[in-house]
Amino acid sequence: LTGKYLNGKLKINIPNQRRTGNGNKIEIEGCRGNNLKNLNIDFPLGVMIGVTGVSGSGKSTLILHTLYNAFNLLLNKNKSRKVPKAFTGFKGTELIDKIIDIDQSPIGRTPRSNPATYTGAFGPIRDWFAGLPEAKARGYLPGRFSFNVKGGRCESCKGNGKVKLEMNFLPDSYISCSSCNGKRFKDEILSLTWNEKNIAEILNLTFEEARDFFDFDQSLKETFGLMVETGLGYLKLGQASPTLSGGEAQRLKLASELSKGIDAFKYSNRPKAKPTFYVLEEPTIGLHQKDRMKLLQLLRRLVKEGNTVVVVEHDIELIAAADYIIEMGPGGGEKGGQKIFQGSVNNLLKSKRSLTAAFVK
């Protein structure tokens, strides 16, 4: 597969038409953090924006440490916040619902966290089990089918499915729980089946298998189908989060954002919320070319839903596929911190100041 990308038989597709946005924009003024030279930057909404430039030119300072931290203070009031780098002011926060930084950090650091809980699919699954006649007769509520709380979980491993062995001179090791055989639940919970599968067997399904199993539930079917579409069909619903790679975690986060739109708007009468502003820093790191294609498809779908995506990136193919470009430079450190280009990809190719234009062309 790698050879086909090297010899040019396969490549990332460059769009024939670029999105021009919805006519709105957000602005941040007087950016002076680190090496930034008192910059005023506009970000058009409803497009994919590629922010590029040589290393040390000020990309991360502008996007993550200034723009993201500043908007995060105002929009995401319930999350931990960092003080932004120096700037004068910003405009346009009323045009977006929230700003989200999607990186390659794990979706959870313990075996309790898994794709089913992260995507929100585990809630409806527990509801289905709680609705079984036998579960109702026993007085079981949905919480009984969670391995995170007392009740239905195996108390020997506290719902982890594994027991930690502390080693004196070696890293701690984990073995399967002998009480539940790694299934996380008590026998009384495992005895309840729905469509001939108990809760542990459903958590052992891959996204691809779950898409077919939940064919009758349109919302779950589309959510799992989205994971398959983005190349994550092989992941299991109950797979421990620490076993996911950085690229898998990032694509799972992006796909989850899309699935929230399915759940919130397509199958409810609630009005559509204002769009979201997504920020990603070098998402192609560690990804094979085929996985980069999946990533790009996800980013384009987010934009198609009306959102805005800002990607800080060096990968020239992803930059070439963007709708709008902001280039920092011209050098790194004190020689950087300037905006040397801002505009469409076609205009980038005409820029005499741009160092990126020749590579994009």
Side-chain angles (χ1 to χ4, degrees), residues 1-287:
L1 185 62
T2 304
K4 293 179 181 178
Y5 283 98
L6 287 173
N7 62 27
K9 289 183 180 179
L10 291 176
K11 61 182 180 179
I12 291 180
N13 296 323
I14 305 301
N16 294 323
Q17 293 184 328
R18 315 280 176 161
R19 293 183 180 274
T20 57
N22 58 22
N24 295 318
K25 63 182 179 180
I26 63 173
E27 307 171 51
I28 190 159
E29 303 167 343
C31 301
R32 305 181 302 280
N34 296 338
N35 65 341
L36 299 183
K37 307 295 194 296
N38 201 33
L39 297 183
N40 299 328
I41 306 281
D42 298 341
F43 297 86
L45 299 181
V47 296
M48 187 172 91
I49 303 171
V51 180
T52 189
V54 298
S55 296
S57 59
K59 303 183 297 296
S60 296
T61 300
L62 173 65
I63 302 302
L64 291 175
H65 303 152
T66 308
L67 173 73
Y68 173 75
N69 286 346
F71 276 64
N72 194 29
L73 277 171
L74 183 64
L75 295 172
N76 303 344
K77 297 179 181 179
N78 60 334
K79 296 184 179 180
S80 60
R81 301 177 296 277
K82 296 181 180 178
V83 176
K85 295 292 184 180
F87 70 102
T88 303
F90 53 82
K91 302 175 183 177
T93 52
E94 74 282 356
L95 300 172
I96 58 177
D97 180 50
K98 54 184 176 292
I99 187 168
I100 298 177
D101 174 22
I102 298 183
D103 56 21
Q104 292 194 0
S105 62
I107 61 172
R109 300 186 183 277
T110 70
R112 294 183 184 281
S113 176
N114 57 56
T117 56
Y118 187 82
T119 58
F122 199 29
I125 291 172
R126 293 200 308 269
D127 292 339
W128 278 107
F129 272 95
L132 292 172
E134 192 173 351
K136 289 182 176 180
R138 297 182 188 179
Y140 290 170
L141 297 176
R144 180 76 65 160
F145 298 92
S146 171
F147 48 74
N148 287 320
V149 295
K150 291 181 179 180
R153 74 181 184 184
C154 170
E155 289 302 325
S156 296
C157 61
K158 300 296 189 292
N160 282 319
K162 296 182 179 181
V163 178
K164 183 169 71 172
L165 291 180
E166 295 185 359
M167 313 289 282
N168 289 330
F169 304 105
L170 294 170
D172 293 337
S173 180
Y174 290 85
I175 61 171
S176 182
C177 174
S178 59
S179 297
C180 65
N181 294 320
K183 294 181 179 179
R184 299 183 169 191
F185 296 93
K186 295 178 179 178
D187 289 340
E188 62 192 66
I189 297 298
L190 296 175
S191 67
L192 296 175
T193 59
W194 175 47
N195 287 0
E196 300 182 353
K197 290 188 183 295
N198 61 35
I199 188 76
E201 290 171 329
I202 285 181
L203 287 174
N204 200 44
L205 295 175
T206 64
F207 277 126
E208 189 168 7
E209 292 168 339
R211 176 194 58 186
D212 298 332
F213 184 81
F214 288 98
D215 183 69
F216 57 88
D217 186 302
Q218 194 65 23
S219 179
L220 286 176
K221 179 186 175 182
E222 290 201 27
T223 296
F224 296 142
L226 185 59
M227 303 303 166
V228 175
E229 182 184 330
T230 55
L232 299 176
Y234 59 90
L235 293 182
K236 293 184 177 181
L237 300 187
Q239 185 170 334
S241 295
T243 65
L244 271 60
S245 70
E248 288 172 335
Q250 187 170 50
R251 275 186 288 157
L252 183 63
K253 293 175 185 179
L254 288 167
S256 296
E257 287 295 319
L258 281 170
S259 70
K260 288 175 186 176
I262 293 173
D263 295 335
F265 312 124
K266 196 167 184 179
Y267 301 108
S268 75
N269 295 320
R270 284 183 289 172
K272 186 173 176 61
K274 288 183 289 187
T276 300
F277 195 96
Y278 295 96
V279 174
L280 299 90
E281 183 177 30
E282 299 191 56
T284 59
I285 287 180
L287 294 186

